Amino acid sequence: MTLESFSPITNEWYYPSEEVLRNAYIADYDAVYREADADIEAFWAKQAQNLDWFRTWEQVLDSSNPPFYQWFVGGKTNIAHNALDRHIKTARKNKLALIWEGEPGDKQTYSYYRLWREVNRFANVLKSMGVKKGDRVTIYMGRIPELLIAMVACAKIGAVHSVIYGGFSEQALADRIEDAQSRVLVTCDGAWLRGNIVKLKDVVDEAVRKTPVIESIIVVKRTGQPVNMEQGRDYWYHDLVALPIASPICETAVMDAEDPLFILYTSGTTGKPKGILHTHGGYQVYTSTTLSWVFDVKDEDRYWCAADPGWITGHSYIVYAPLIIGATSFMYEGAPNHPYPNRWWRLIEEYGITILYTAPTAIRGLMRFGDAWPNRHDLSSLRLLGSVGEPINPEAWKWFYNVIGKGRCPIMDTWWQTETGGFMITPLPSVGLKPGSATRPFPGIKVDVVDEAGDPVPPGTDGNLVIQRPWPAMLRTIYGDPDRFVKQYWSAYAKQGWYLTGDTARKDEDGYIWIIGRNDDVIKVSGYRLGTAEIESGLVSHPAVAEAAAIGIPDEVRGSVIYAYCILRAGHQPSEELRDALKEHVRHEIGPIAVPAKIEFVDVLPKTRSGKIMRRVLRARAMGQPEGDLSTLEG
Ligand code: WT7
């Protein structure tokens, strides 16, 4: 069992109200699950027919070369067509696609028509800079509408976007630019966060100094402080979209269903970033179906996914799926507690938000400020809530349910990963909930909790969570590293052909799944995914550090925090100053999310005889627990 565990299995049931049931797209989960199970290809073909295809597929699923599965083979499409173009011919043209509020309180609204025109303009700008089908474009921005516009503009012309979360710093950004080999980068001068400016363009300047690939940088003016603009390399976004080449009409590239749509980097067990690759066809079908069914989004809804577009949650459920299904989304730029801890609750009241999808860490963080803040606001517009990113402890679940949802709004605890592209284990509004459980697999998805041999473990027992059948939004490969893709995800259960999630889980007597946490060297800090190797190599890149180990320790608000253990090089002495310098170094190299909560200087690290750091031992020590079996510990 991992120490990140919060969720004991409980048998407390929460059932949906009559009203929720009346609204639900899917009233009978079991019937739909059975239908999908009986003929998986027919099931996904049926969902795919809700979208436009320039040419229909010849084969729904090609399993001839596992694990390189292909979906909707021979189909021609473009996700940008389904997200925007097709809506312009209907009444959706006049519907709001996006309502946005900046942290300082400025506002923007985009009808589908306006958004379509802006995407076209920017797509033409990219084209004029020589961006072609298959080229990678790196995007590094704050939570502003231009981020979404830039992503869809790439898709429109068949370019592959690689969005880097604005919380990453220069080395992380440089590594990802290098890996993707993108010549064009889209950024902004800065982002507002807690009343301060995060100087993104400065980070970009540092990053491109480390990698020669970037030729052009497009900069959105957001925060307005002076920034360095290098002649012939850097261009203001507003200047470019004002040029005659930036016509509001742009042809949509005809893409193969299996053509790449984006790369999204995530952390794994080595220090090297893993570029998860998703494609146009299967991804658009899967994300749109899951969003409709799980969040039950209707025309009257105002849907708010409070994640960052820089993560998979944002790619799938802020950008693509909401647009494909014609939803009205809300997006907020800044911190939840700025200027006061009621910011989110005020936004819900003011904009009449009906669906709120967020992360346990945000819920716990806001819970800490007390009930008076949300209670000041009329939250009665809410009808559904959602949670993602890590296990939600029953206490936070109940607070979210009672204080925010007033006991009326079911919580969709969606389990999934960057790699899965969309929700995998999740309730639908019509099913009974148990606080802390992501419930059961989405129709068409087959999962189990198994032991090392692949046998299902008995109810209540820890095991490996595996996915036992391909699904349309599955990752296609790791960009530029197909061997790692096979090794990482498909080798543990190669005989059975199952996908290894890296999560430990339990199943209860009702078949409900309880996620315990990661069982590899991945730490979830405030829902962000970090590799211990990444943090360790960040520390070791400091001249004073000879060796480092990082572990995750449970934290009430953030899920886990990082503890780091450093062996110093000869000639360096432990000190408070050095500790601060190392934290600053990690902030600079990787980003604020990777900064250890605690750094300890040690003379030795517990290692196996083969030299592997025993993080289990460090964790036990840090938590004052017995160290367990030390028989493999080095002399
Ligand atoms: C890991 C994937 C999927 C978008 C955000 C995270 C953990 C995710 C849940 C949940 C318990 C969860 C898992 C998973 N996780 N959702 N509802 N309950 N744990 O994507 O950064 O790729 O991380 O997040 O450990 O493997 P990600």
Side-chain angles (χ1 to χ4, degrees), residues 266 312-313 387-392 413-419 438 501 503 515 517-518 524 527 529:
T266 189
I312 191 68
T313 312
S387 170
V388 62
E390 55 182 318
I392 178 162
D413 179 356
T414 61
W415 178 90
W416 57 297
Q417 308 177 305
T418 306
E419 291 87 342
T501 64
D503 277 22
I515 306 293
R518 299 288 307 193
K524 283 264 159 167
R529 180 165 158 183

Side-chain angles (χ1 to χ4, degrees), residues 95 151 281 411 456 477 513:
K95 186 179 168 179
M151 289 166 73
I411 300 175
T477 190
I513 312 271

Side-chain angles (χ1 to χ4, degrees), residues 142-155:
R143 244 175 340 237
I144 54 177
E146 287 82 355
L147 168 52
L148 183 152
I149 291 167
M151 289 166 73
V152 186
C154 287

